[in-house]
Amino acid sequence: MLSSVLFFGKGPVQSAMHGSDAQNVTSDRVLKRRYQQESMYVELFQDMLRAVLEKESHLFTASEHACFSFFFQLHYDARYLFVRLLQRKKGQWYRLDKLEYNDVEDLSSAARALSQPFAASSLLEPYRFSMMDGDIKDNILWRLELLTVDELKLLAKRLGKKSSGTRDTLLKNLTAKPTNAVLFSQQHKLSINMQPTHDRLLSYMADIMHGGCICLDSTVYALMERLAFVYYRGKPVLGSLLTSAVLSRTGKYTFPTYVYMRDSSMFPDRDCLLRYEEATQLVEHMDAFVEAS
C-alpha cells in the first residue's frame, strides 16, 4: 500500500492510496471537501440569497421560502450542480456525461436530488429544482438532438436503419414510423428482433447517454431570476445571475469601490416588485423593437 501526504491549510492530512486512480481522485475530493471552503459559485449564490432574505423576505411567498429553505438542505454536490446550471443557458437540456464538474463527487446522485419534488406542507405548491429525461413524455427528438453525429450513426446502425448521411438525415431516419421487427446479423447468424423500435431506441440512447439528461425547472429558474432582480435592483448587467460577482471575485473585472447599504423601502411589498419587473420588461421590449426597426 502506498501513501501520500496532502496539504490543506496549515497542516498535512495523511491519506491512504490504493486501488484505481479513480478511487484516489474520489478520496482527494472528500478530503478537500472536509478541509477547504465551498466553491466560489456556491458561496456567492448563498451570499446573494442570505442578503435578500435578511431584509426583503416579505417579497416572496411561503412556497418560495420553502424552495429557498430546501436549497440549504440539499447536500453539497446537488447545491453545486444547481448553481452551475444557473450559469448556463436558460431552458437548455444537458447530458450528465458531458458535464465536467470536478467538485462534484457523484453527478448522478446530485441530479436525482435536484429532481425530487418537495413542499413545506401539503397546502403549498410542490417544487423541484430540475427535471430529468425520465420526467418528460415524448422526449425522443430533443434527446436525439443532444447526440453527436457519430452517436447518431451508431444508434441507426443498432436499429438496422441507414447509418450514413447528414445530421438532419439521420434524425429523420431515426424518427421515421417505427417497425416492430428488425433483421440483424450477430456472430454470422441472421436474427430478428421483435422488440418495438421505440423501446429499443430508448434503451440504446440510455446506453449512449450515461446518466441521462437534466434541465432546470422553469418555475424555479424564474424564482432565482426574481431573487437576482431584487439583489441587483434590476436584471444582471453582465450575463447570468452570478457573472459580475464571479468576475469581481476572480479579479477579471474591476468595479468601482463604494459603500452600499441595502434598504427594504425600495420594494415595500410584493405587488410593487411585480409592477417594477413588468415595467422593466416593457422597456426591454421597446428597446428591442427600436433596434430591430
Side-chain angles (χ1 to χ4, degrees), residues 86 90 217-228 277:
L86 280 176
K90 181 179 180 180
D217 181 83
S218 58
T219 301
V220 171
Y221 196 101
L223 173 58
M224 300 309 160
E225 286 184 318
R226 176 164 295 158
L227 173 75
E277 281 184 340

Side-chain angles (χ1 to χ4, degrees), residues 71-87:
F71 170 80
F72 285 105
Q73 297 175 28
L74 292 169
H75 59 77
Y76 177 81
D77 283 354
R79 283 184 286 130
Y80 179 88
L81 177 59
F82 176 72
V83 174
R84 293 308 303 267
L85 290 176
L86 280 176
Q87 296 297 102

Side-chain angles (χ1 to χ4, degrees), residues 45 48-49 60 63-71 74 78-79 81-83 85-86 90-91 113-119 125-131 215-229 241 277:
F45 178 77
M48 176 192 296
L49 182 53
F60 301 93
S63 293
E64 291 170 342
H65 276 286
C67 182
F68 295 144
S69 297
F70 192 77
F71 170 80
L74 292 169
R79 283 184 286 130
L81 177 59
F82 176 72
V83 174
L85 290 176
L86 280 176
K90 181 179 180 180
L114 291 178
S115 65
Q116 294 300 313
F118 63 90
E125 177 187 0
Y127 278 93
R128 66 170 66 191
F129 286 101
S130 69
M131 299 176 293
C215 176
L216 291 185
D217 181 83
S218 58
T219 301
V220 171
Y221 196 101
L223 173 58
M224 300 309 160
E225 286 184 318
R226 176 164 295 158
L227 173 75
F229 190 89
L241 277 65
E277 281 184 340

Side-chain angles (χ1 to χ4, degrees), residues 238 243-258:
L238 300 176
T243 300
S244 57
V246 170
L247 291 176
S248 177
R249 176 70 66 88
T250 57
K252 295 181 179 180
Y253 200 102
T254 302
F255 293 93
T257 301
Y258 55 89

Side-chain angles (χ1 to χ4, degrees), residues 179-199:
T179 57
N180 290 337
V182 173
L183 184 68
F184 67 97
S185 174
Q186 185 176 18
Q187 296 180 350
H188 306 291
K189 294 182 180 180
L190 290 177
S191 303
I192 295 180
N193 191 333
M194 296 300 295
Q195 184 183 12
T197 302
H198 180 273
D199 294 342

Side-chain angles (χ1 to χ4, degrees), residues 97-132:
D97 61 345
K98 298 297 183 180
L99 295 176
E100 298 181 357
Y101 295 139
N102 293 328
D103 281 10
V104 177
E105 183 179 345
D106 189 339
L107 196 59
S108 296
S109 176
R112 289 193 299 271
L114 291 178
S115 65
Q116 294 300 313
F118 63 90
S121 72
S122 59
L123 300 178
L124 297 179
E125 177 187 0
Y127 278 93
R128 66 170 66 191
F129 286 101
S130 69
M131 299 176 293
M132 298 191 70

